Amino acid sequence: MLHIVACIKQVPDTKIIKMNPKTNTMDRRTAPAILNPYDAHAVEEAVRLREKYGGTVSVLTMGPPPAVKAIKKCIEIGADEGYLITDRRFAGADTLATSYALTKALEKISKTKPVDLVICGKMTIDGDTGQVGPGIARRLDIPPLTSVNKVVEINKREGYAVVHRKLEDGYEVVQSALPCLMSVEKTINEVPYSPFPNMLKAARYEPHIWSVDDLEDIDIKQLGLKGSPTIVSKVWAPPKPEGGTIIEGSSQQQVEHLLSVLLEKKELFQAKEGV
Amino acid sequence: MDFKDYKGVWVFIEEKDGEIPSVSLELLGAGRKLADKRGVELAGILIGNSIKHLTKKVFEYGADTVYVYDQPIFKHYRTESFMKALLECSNKYKPEIILFGATSTGKDLASAVATDMPTGLTADTTELDVEEDTGLLLASRPAFGGNIMATILCKKYRPQMATVRAKVMKALSPEPGRTGKVIEESVSLKEDDIRTKVLEIVKETTKKVRIDEADIIVAGGKGLGSAEGFQLVHQLADALGGAVGASRDVVEAGWIEHHHQVGQTGVTVTPKIYFAIGISGAIQHIVGMKNSSLIIAINKDSEAPIFQSCHYGIVGDAFEIVPMLIEQFQNALSRKEVSHVGKV
C-alpha cells in the first residue's frame, strides 16, 4: 500500500490575465484561479499508481483560503485527502521558502502515515521555475527525479522505483530508492473527465487546514517573504522594439512583396529543394 | 556571511556524449562580460568521466580557470553526485555568481544546489547584468506567464545563482591556444552512497524535426482558430521546407505536441526565417524567437504586439494570404528550376 502525496498549487490563469499597464502588476480580478495544469497530471499519475498498487493519495498545497477549490479539483481527479497550509506568514515566499513550508507540512503528514512518494507537476504556470519539487526532495533528503514522463514500476517491498526521465534527445531509465520525489511532465498521462461520484465527493469534501502554529519545529525566519533570498526588484514591460515594415496594399500586392522578401533568401530554399 | 570572501563568476559546463553543448559556451560569453565588469575571474566547472580534454575548449571560449571533477562516478548525470561536487567546490573556492544552462540537467542541478546552500536561484533568465561595485547580479526573466519582465535580486546570500535560457546569450568567438589554470578536484563518494542508478539511456530515433536546429520555422498561434486551421502552418512549412513552431496556447489546446512550442516554456529558436501566423506576440513567445534573422508576422489584429517584434508584417487574413503565398512561391521556384520551358 503506497502513500503518495501530490504537491499542487492554485494559480491565476496566466493566459487570460491582464496586466495593468500603468503599474505593471497583475490585475488578479481578470484571471480565474485554477489548479495549475501541470499539477493535474501529477495528481492523475498518483491516482493511477494507487489503482495499480493500492494505497492513498493525499494532496498538499500552500495558499490563501480559496485554494480549497484547487484541492477539491484534485478530489475530483481521484485524490483521497487534501491538506491546505494557509497563514499570512507564508505569504510572499519564493521557491526556497515555499519548499521549506511544504516540507514542514509533509513531515507532519508522514508522522501519521509515512510517505512513499511525493509527486509534483513539472512547474507552475505563474512561477514557471520548476524549482520547488527538487527543493522539497533535498529538504526531505530523498532523491529528486525531475522530467519524469513514465513510471515503469514502484516496488515498495524492495524499496525502489523505476522511471523514464525525459532528456533533450530521448530519455533515460532511472532506478531510485524509495521514498523519492518525482516531478512529472505533462506527457506522462491524459487527465480524463472526472467520474460523477468523485464530483459528488469533492463537492462535500473539507480538507485539513493548518496554520504555521499547527506545524512542528518550524523556523519562522525561513517562511514567506522573510525567508526568501530572492526579491523582485523591478517589474517592467520590455522596451518596444522598433517594429518592422508593415506591408500595405491589396492581398495580391502584399503576397508579391512578401515573396520578393523571401526570394532574397533563395539559397535557403534551393538547398532544401535539392533539385 | 562576509561577501568579500566571495569572488568570481562560475559557469557550470555541461558535457554530453563527449561534447560541450552550445548553451555552456554561450554562458561563458555572458559570464565573461559579468566577470570583466567586476574585474574578477571567470571559471568553468566541469564534472564528468574522462572529460579533461574538454578544458581546452572552455579556455578558448573565455574561462580563466577550470575546476575539473573527472571520476567514473560521474559517468552519468545524477543529482546527488553532481550536487556534492558542486557544493564542495563552491564552499571551498566561494564564487559570487554561478550560472547554469536552463536545460533539464542544469535546472535539476541548480534547484538542488540552491536548496542545500541555501541561496537564491532565478530560473530561465534571459538578461544578465551585474552591479560593478557590489557584485549584485541583476537576473531578468519573463514573469507571470510571460506577460511582463521582472528583475530578480539575491541581496543577502552568496553565491547568487541563475539558470539561463539557451540561445539567448552569445558565445565569444573561440580564441585558439588561449589557456588558463586547471584545478583538479575530486569527491569521496562510493556508488552505494548514491540512491539513483541510470539503467539505460535511450536516444529517440524518430525523425522529429528539432525546431531549434531549423533554418526556416513557420509558427502558428491561437489566431488560426482550430486544429484544422492550424494545418495552414503545416502547409506553408512544407512548401518552404521548414519546421513547424507553435505558441503556448496552441500546445495547451493540444493542436500540436510540446516539442514544437517556441518561447519561455518551450524552445528558443534563431532561424534564418521565422513566420508568426496568428500569434499575438506575448513576451513569453517573443523571448523565444526574437533573435531570428528575418521575422515575418501575419495577423488580423493590427494592434497585435507581434508587429513590434517583426521585420515585415501583414495585417490581414492568414487564410487568404498564406494559400496565395504558397502557390506563388511554388510557381516562383519551379520557374527557376524549369526555366528552359519558359514561364509556367
Coordinates of all heavy atoms in Angstrom, one line a residue, chain B residues 192-259:
Chain B
D192 N 27.5 3.1 -3.7 CA 26.5 2.8 -2.8 C 25.9 4.1 -2.1 O 24.8 4.0 -1.5 CB 27.0 1.9 -1.7 CG 27.2 0.5 -2.3 OD1 26.7 0.2 -3.4 OD2 27.8 -0.4 -1.6
D193 N 26.7 5.2 -2.1 CA 26.2 6.4 -1.4 C 25.1 7.1 -2.2 O 24.5 8.0 -1.7 CB 27.4 7.4 -1.3 CG 28.5 6.8 -0.4 OD1 28.2 5.9 0.4 OD2 29.7 7.3 -0.6
I194 N 25.0 6.7 -3.5 CA 24.0 7.4 -4.4 C 22.8 6.5 -4.5 O 22.9 5.3 -4.8 CB 24.7 7.7 -5.7 CG1 26.0 8.4 -5.5 CG2 23.8 8.5 -6.6 CD1 26.8 8.6 -6.7
R195 N 21.6 7.2 -4.3 CA 20.4 6.4 -4.3 C 19.7 6.2 -5.6 O 18.7 5.6 -5.7 CB 19.4 7.1 -3.3 CG 20.0 7.0 -1.9 CD 19.2 7.8 -0.9 NE 19.4 9.3 -1.1 CZ 18.9 10.2 -0.3 NH1 18.1 9.9 0.7 NH2 19.1 11.5 -0.6
T196 N 20.3 6.8 -6.7 CA 19.7 6.5 -8.0 C 20.8 5.9 -8.9 O 22.0 6.0 -8.7 CB 19.3 7.8 -8.7 OG1 20.4 8.7 -8.8 CG2 18.2 8.5 -7.9
K197 N 20.3 5.2 -9.9 CA 21.1 4.5 -10.8 C 20.5 4.7 -12.2 O 19.3 4.5 -12.4 CB 21.2 3.0 -10.5 CG 22.4 2.3 -10.9 CD 22.4 0.8 -10.5 CE 22.4 0.6 -9.0 NZ 22.1 -0.8 -8.6
V198 N 21.4 5.1 -13.2 CA 20.9 5.2 -14.6 C 21.0 3.8 -15.2 O 22.1 3.2 -15.3 CB 21.7 6.2 -15.4 CG1 21.2 6.2 -16.8 CG2 21.5 7.6 -14.7
L199 N 19.9 3.2 -15.6 CA 19.9 1.8 -16.1 C 20.2 1.8 -17.6 O 20.8 0.9 -18.1 CB 18.6 1.1 -15.8 CG 18.1 1.0 -14.3 CD1 16.8 0.4 -14.2 CD2 19.2 0.3 -13.5
E200 N 19.7 2.8 -18.3 CA 19.8 2.8 -19.7 C 19.5 4.3 -20.2 O 18.7 5.0 -19.6 CB 18.7 1.9 -20.2 CG 18.8 1.6 -21.7 CD 17.5 0.8 -22.2 OE1 16.7 0.4 -21.4 OE2 17.5 0.5 -23.4
I201 N 20.2 4.6 -21.3 CA 19.9 5.9 -22.0 C 19.4 5.6 -23.4 O 20.0 4.8 -24.1 CB 21.1 6.8 -22.0 CG1 21.5 7.2 -20.6 CG2 20.8 8.0 -22.9 CD1 22.6 8.2 -20.5
V202 N 18.2 6.1 -23.7 CA 17.6 5.8 -25.0 C 17.5 7.0 -25.8 O 16.9 8.0 -25.4 CB 16.1 5.2 -24.7 CG1 15.5 4.9 -26.1 CG2 16.2 4.0 -23.8
K203 N 18.1 7.0 -27.0 CA 18.0 8.1 -27.9 C 16.8 7.9 -28.7 O 16.6 6.8 -29.2 CB 19.3 8.2 -28.8 CG 20.6 8.2 -28.0 CD 21.1 9.7 -27.9 CE 22.4 9.6 -27.1 NZ 22.7 10.9 -26.4
E204 N 16.0 8.9 -28.8 CA 14.8 8.8 -29.7 C 15.3 8.9 -31.1 O 15.9 9.9 -31.5 CB 13.8 9.9 -29.3 CG 13.5 9.9 -27.9 CD 12.0 9.4 -27.6 OE1 11.8 8.2 -27.5 OE2 11.2 10.3 -27.4
T205 N 14.9 7.9 -31.9 CA 15.4 7.9 -33.3 C 14.4 8.4 -34.2 O 14.7 8.5 -35.4 CB 15.8 6.5 -33.7 OG1 14.8 5.6 -33.3 CG2 17.1 6.1 -33.0
T206 N 13.2 8.8 -33.7 CA 12.2 9.3 -34.7 C 12.8 10.5 -35.4 O 13.6 11.2 -34.8 CB 11.0 9.7 -33.9 OG1 11.3 10.5 -32.8 CG2 10.2 8.5 -33.4
K207 N 12.3 10.7 -36.6 CA 12.8 11.9 -37.3 C 12.1 13.2 -37.0 O 11.7 13.9 -37.9 CB 12.7 11.6 -38.8 CG 13.8 10.6 -39.3 CD 13.9 10.6 -40.8 CE 14.8 9.5 -41.2 NZ 14.3 8.8 -42.4
K208 N 11.9 13.4 -35.7 CA 11.3 14.6 -35.3 C 12.2 15.7 -35.7 O 13.4 15.7 -35.5 CB 11.3 14.6 -33.7 CG 9.9 14.3 -33.2 CD 10.0 14.5 -31.7 CE 9.3 13.4 -30.9 NZ 9.7 13.4 -29.5
V209 N 11.6 16.7 -36.4 CA 12.4 17.9 -36.7 C 12.7 18.6 -35.4 O 11.8 18.9 -34.6 CB 11.6 18.9 -37.6 CG1 12.5 20.0 -38.0 CG2 11.2 18.1 -38.9
R210 N 14.0 18.9 -35.2 CA 14.3 19.7 -34.0 C 14.2 21.1 -34.3 O 15.0 21.6 -35.1 CB 15.7 19.3 -33.4 CG 15.7 17.9 -32.9 CD 16.7 17.6 -31.8 NE 17.0 18.8 -31.0 CZ 18.0 18.8 -30.2 NH1 18.9 17.8 -30.1 NH2 18.2 19.8 -29.4
I211 N 13.2 21.8 -33.8 CA 13.0 23.2 -34.3 C 14.1 24.1 -34.0 O 14.3 25.1 -34.6 CB 11.6 23.7 -33.9 CG1 11.5 23.8 -32.4 CG2 10.5 23.0 -34.6 CD1 10.2 24.7 -32.1
D212 N 14.9 23.7 -32.9 CA 16.0 24.6 -32.5 C 17.1 24.5 -33.6 O 18.1 25.3 -33.5 CB 16.5 24.4 -31.1 CG 16.9 22.9 -30.9 OD1 16.4 22.1 -31.7 OD2 17.6 22.7 -29.9
E213 N 17.0 23.6 -34.5 CA 18.1 23.5 -35.5 C 17.6 23.9 -36.9 O 18.4 23.8 -37.8 CB 18.6 22.0 -35.5 CG 19.4 21.7 -34.3 CD 19.7 20.2 -34.1 OE1 19.3 19.4 -35.0 OE2 20.4 19.8 -33.2
A214 N 16.4 24.3 -37.0 CA 15.8 24.5 -38.3 C 16.2 25.9 -38.8 O 16.3 26.9 -38.1 CB 14.3 24.4 -38.3
D215 N 16.4 26.1 -40.1 CA 16.7 27.4 -40.7 C 15.5 28.2 -41.0 O 15.5 29.4 -41.1 CB 17.4 27.2 -42.1 CG 18.9 26.9 -41.9 OD1 19.5 27.3 -40.9 OD2 19.5 26.4 -42.8
I216 N 14.4 27.4 -41.2 CA 13.1 28.1 -41.5 C 12.1 27.5 -40.6 O 11.9 26.3 -40.4 CB 12.7 27.8 -43.0 CG1 13.7 28.3 -43.9 CG2 11.3 28.5 -43.2 CD1 13.5 27.9 -45.4
I217 N 11.3 28.4 -39.9 CA 10.3 28.0 -39.0 C 9.0 28.7 -39.3 O 9.0 29.9 -39.5 CB 10.6 28.2 -37.5 CG1 11.8 27.3 -37.1 CG2 9.5 27.9 -36.6 CD1 12.4 27.6 -35.7
V218 N 7.9 27.9 -39.5 CA 6.6 28.6 -39.7 C 5.8 28.2 -38.4 O 5.6 27.1 -38.1 CB 5.9 28.0 -40.9 CG1 4.5 28.7 -41.0 CG2 6.7 28.2 -42.1
A219 N 5.5 29.3 -37.6 CA 4.9 29.1 -36.3 C 3.4 29.6 -36.4 O 3.2 30.7 -37.0 CB 5.6 29.7 -35.2
G220 N 2.5 29.0 -35.7 CA 1.2 29.4 -35.7 C 0.7 29.6 -34.3 O 1.2 29.0 -33.3
G221 N -0.4 30.4 -34.2 CA -0.9 30.7 -32.9 C -2.4 30.5 -32.8 O -3.0 30.0 -33.8
K222 N -3.0 30.9 -31.7 CA -4.4 30.7 -31.4 C -5.3 31.4 -32.5 O -6.4 31.0 -32.7 CB -4.7 31.3 -30.0 CG -5.8 30.6 -29.2 CD -5.5 29.1 -29.1 CE -6.7 28.3 -28.5 NZ -7.0 28.6 -27.1
G223 N -4.7 32.5 -33.1 CA -5.5 33.2 -34.2 C -6.0 32.3 -35.3 O -6.8 32.7 -36.1
L224 N -5.4 31.1 -35.4 CA -5.8 30.2 -36.5 C -7.1 29.5 -36.2 O -7.7 28.8 -37.0 CB -4.7 29.2 -36.8 CG -3.5 29.9 -37.5 CD1 -2.2 29.0 -37.4 CD2 -3.7 30.3 -38.9
G225 N -7.6 29.7 -35.0 CA -8.9 29.3 -34.6 C -9.1 27.8 -34.2 O -9.9 27.6 -33.3
S226 N -8.5 26.9 -34.9 CA -8.8 25.5 -34.6 C -7.6 24.6 -35.0 O -6.7 25.1 -35.8 CB -10.0 25.0 -35.3 OG -9.8 25.1 -36.7
A227 N -7.7 23.4 -34.6 CA -6.6 22.4 -35.0 C -6.6 22.3 -36.6 O -5.6 22.2 -37.2 CB -6.9 21.0 -34.4
E228 N -7.8 22.4 -37.2 CA -7.9 22.3 -38.6 C -7.3 23.6 -39.2 O -6.5 23.5 -40.2 CB -9.4 22.2 -39.1 CG -10.1 20.9 -38.8 CD -10.4 20.8 -37.3 OE1 -10.9 21.8 -36.7 OE2 -10.1 19.7 -36.7
G229 N -7.6 24.7 -38.7 CA -7.0 26.0 -39.1 C -5.5 25.9 -39.0 O -4.8 26.5 -39.9
F230 N -5.0 25.2 -38.0 CA -3.5 25.2 -37.8 C -2.8 24.4 -38.9 O -1.6 24.5 -39.1 CB -3.2 24.5 -36.4 CG -1.8 24.7 -36.0 CD1 -1.4 25.9 -35.4 CD2 -0.9 23.6 -36.1 CE1 -0.1 26.0 -35.0 CE2 0.4 23.8 -35.7 CZ 0.8 25.0 -35.2
Q231 N -3.6 23.6 -39.7 CA -3.0 22.9 -40.8 C -2.3 23.8 -41.8 O -1.4 23.5 -42.5 CB -4.0 22.0 -41.5 CG -4.5 20.9 -40.7 CD -3.4 20.0 -40.2 OE1 -2.5 19.6 -41.0 NE2 -3.4 19.7 -38.9
L232 N -2.8 25.1 -41.8 CA -2.2 26.1 -42.7 C -0.7 26.2 -42.5 O 0.0 26.4 -43.4 CB -3.0 27.4 -42.4 CG -2.8 28.5 -43.4 CD1 -3.4 28.1 -44.8 CD2 -3.5 29.8 -42.9
V233 N -0.4 26.2 -41.2 CA 1.0 26.3 -40.8 C 1.8 25.2 -41.4 O 2.9 25.4 -41.9 CB 1.1 26.3 -39.3 CG1 2.6 26.3 -38.8 CG2 0.5 27.6 -38.7
H234 N 1.3 23.9 -41.3 CA 2.0 22.8 -41.8 C 2.2 22.9 -43.3 O 3.2 22.6 -43.9 CB 1.2 21.5 -41.6 CG 1.2 21.1 -40.1 ND1 2.3 20.4 -39.6 CD2 0.3 21.3 -39.1 CE1 2.0 20.2 -38.3 NE2 0.9 20.7 -38.0
Q235 N 1.1 23.4 -44.0 CA 1.2 23.6 -45.5 C 2.3 24.6 -45.9 O 3.1 24.3 -46.8 CB -0.2 24.1 -46.0 CG -1.2 23.0 -45.9 CD -2.7 23.6 -45.9 OE1 -2.9 24.7 -46.3 NE2 -3.6 22.7 -45.6
L236 N 2.4 25.7 -45.2 CA 3.4 26.7 -45.5 C 4.8 26.1 -45.2 O 5.7 26.3 -46.0 CB 3.2 28.0 -44.8 CG 4.2 29.1 -45.1 CD1 4.2 29.4 -46.7 CD2 3.8 30.4 -44.4
A237 N 4.9 25.4 -44.1 CA 6.2 24.8 -43.7 C 6.6 23.8 -44.7 O 7.8 23.8 -45.1 CB 6.1 24.2 -42.3
D238 N 5.7 23.0 -45.2 CA 6.0 22.0 -46.2 C 6.5 22.7 -47.5 O 7.5 22.3 -48.1 CB 4.8 21.2 -46.6 CG 4.5 20.1 -45.5 OD1 5.4 19.9 -44.6 OD2 3.4 19.5 -45.5
A239 N 5.8 23.8 -47.9 CA 6.2 24.5 -49.1 C 7.5 25.1 -49.0 O 8.3 25.1 -50.0 CB 5.1 25.5 -49.4
L240 N 7.9 25.6 -47.8 CA 9.2 26.3 -47.7 C 10.3 25.4 -47.2 O 11.4 25.7 -47.2 CB 9.0 27.4 -46.6 CG 8.0 28.5 -46.9 CD1 8.0 29.5 -45.7 CD2 8.3 29.3 -48.2
G241 N 9.9 24.1 -46.9 CA 10.9 23.2 -46.4 C 11.3 23.6 -45.0 O 12.5 23.4 -44.6
G242 N 10.4 24.0 -44.2 CA 10.7 24.5 -42.8 C 10.1 23.6 -41.8 O 9.4 22.6 -42.1
A243 N 10.4 23.9 -40.5 CA 9.8 23.2 -39.4 C 8.6 24.0 -38.9 O 8.4 25.2 -39.2 CB 10.9 23.1 -38.3
V244 N 7.8 23.3 -38.1 CA 6.6 23.9 -37.6 C 6.8 24.3 -36.1 O 7.3 23.5 -35.3 CB 5.4 22.9 -37.7 CG1 4.1 23.5 -37.0 CG2 5.0 22.6 -39.1
G245 N 6.4 25.5 -35.9 CA 6.5 26.0 -34.5 C 5.1 26.4 -34.0 O 4.2 26.4 -34.8
A246 N 5.0 26.6 -32.7 CA 3.7 27.0 -32.2 C 3.8 27.8 -30.9 O 4.8 27.8 -30.3 CB 2.9 25.7 -31.8
S247 N 2.7 28.6 -30.7 CA 2.7 29.3 -29.4 C 2.2 28.4 -28.3 O 1.8 27.3 -28.5 CB 1.7 30.5 -29.6 OG 0.4 30.0 -29.6
R248 N 2.4 28.9 -27.1 CA 2.0 28.1 -25.9 C 0.5 27.7 -25.9 O 0.1 26.6 -25.6 CB 2.3 28.9 -24.7 CG 2.0 28.3 -23.4 CD 2.5 29.3 -22.3 NE 2.3 28.7 -21.0 CZ 3.1 29.1 -19.9 NH1 4.0 30.0 -20.1 NH2 2.9 28.6 -18.8
D249 N -0.3 28.7 -26.3 CA -1.8 28.4 -26.3 C -2.1 27.2 -27.2 O -3.0 26.4 -26.9 CB -2.5 29.6 -26.9 CG -2.5 30.8 -26.0 OD1 -2.2 30.6 -24.9 OD2 -2.8 31.9 -26.5
V250 N -1.5 27.2 -28.4 CA -1.7 26.1 -29.3 C -1.3 24.8 -28.8 O -2.1 23.8 -28.9 CB -1.0 26.5 -30.6 CG1 -0.8 25.3 -31.5 CG2 -1.7 27.6 -31.4
V251 N -0.2 24.7 -28.1 CA 0.3 23.5 -27.5 C -0.7 23.1 -26.4 O -1.1 21.9 -26.3 CB 1.7 23.6 -27.0 CG1 2.1 22.4 -26.2 CG2 2.6 23.9 -28.2
E252 N -1.1 24.1 -25.6 CA -2.0 23.7 -24.5 C -3.4 23.3 -25.0 O -4.1 22.5 -24.3 CB -2.1 24.9 -23.5 CG -0.8 24.9 -22.7 CD -0.8 25.9 -21.6 OE1 -1.8 26.7 -21.5 OE2 0.2 26.0 -20.9
A253 N -3.8 23.8 -26.1 CA -5.0 23.4 -26.7 C -4.9 22.0 -27.4 O -5.9 21.4 -27.8 CB -5.5 24.4 -27.8
G254 N -3.7 21.5 -27.5 CA -3.5 20.2 -28.0 C -3.5 20.1 -29.5 O -3.6 19.0 -30.1
W255 N -3.3 21.2 -30.2 CA -3.2 21.2 -31.7 C -1.9 20.6 -32.2 O -1.8 20.1 -33.3 CB -3.4 22.6 -32.3 CG -4.7 23.2 -31.9 CD1 -5.7 22.7 -31.3 CD2 -5.0 24.6 -32.2 NE1 -6.7 23.6 -31.2 CE2 -6.3 24.8 -31.7 CE3 -4.4 25.7 -32.9 CZ2 -7.0 26.0 -31.9 CZ3 -5.0 26.9 -33.0 CH2 -6.3 27.0 -32.5
I256 N -0.9 20.6 -31.3 CA 0.4 20.1 -31.7 C 1.2 19.8 -30.4 O 0.9 20.3 -29.4 CB 1.2 21.1 -32.6 CG1 2.4 20.5 -33.3 CG2 1.7 22.3 -31.8 CD1 2.9 21.2 -34.5
E257 N 2.2 18.9 -30.6 CA 3.0 18.5 -29.4 C 3.9 19.6 -28.8 O 4.3 20.5 -29.6 CB 3.8 17.2 -29.7 CG 3.0 16.0 -30.0 CD 3.2 15.7 -31.5 OE1 3.3 16.6 -32.3 OE2 3.3 14.5 -31.8
H258 N 4.3 19.3 -27.6 CA 5.0 20.4 -26.9 C 6.4 20.7 -27.5 O 6.9 21.8 -27.4 CB 5.2 20.0 -25.4 CG 6.0 21.0 -24.6 ND1 7.3 20.8 -24.4 CD2 5.6 22.1 -24.1 CE1 7.8 21.9 -23.7 NE2 6.7 22.7 -23.5
H259 N 7.0 19.7 -28.1 CA 8.4 20.0 -28.6 C 8.4 21.0 -29.8 O 9.4 21.4 -30.3 CB 9.1 18.7 -29.0 CG 8.6 17.9 -30.1 ND1 7.7 16.9 -30.0 CD2 8.8 18.0 -31.4 CE1 7.4 16.4 -31.1 NE2 8.0 17.1 -32.1

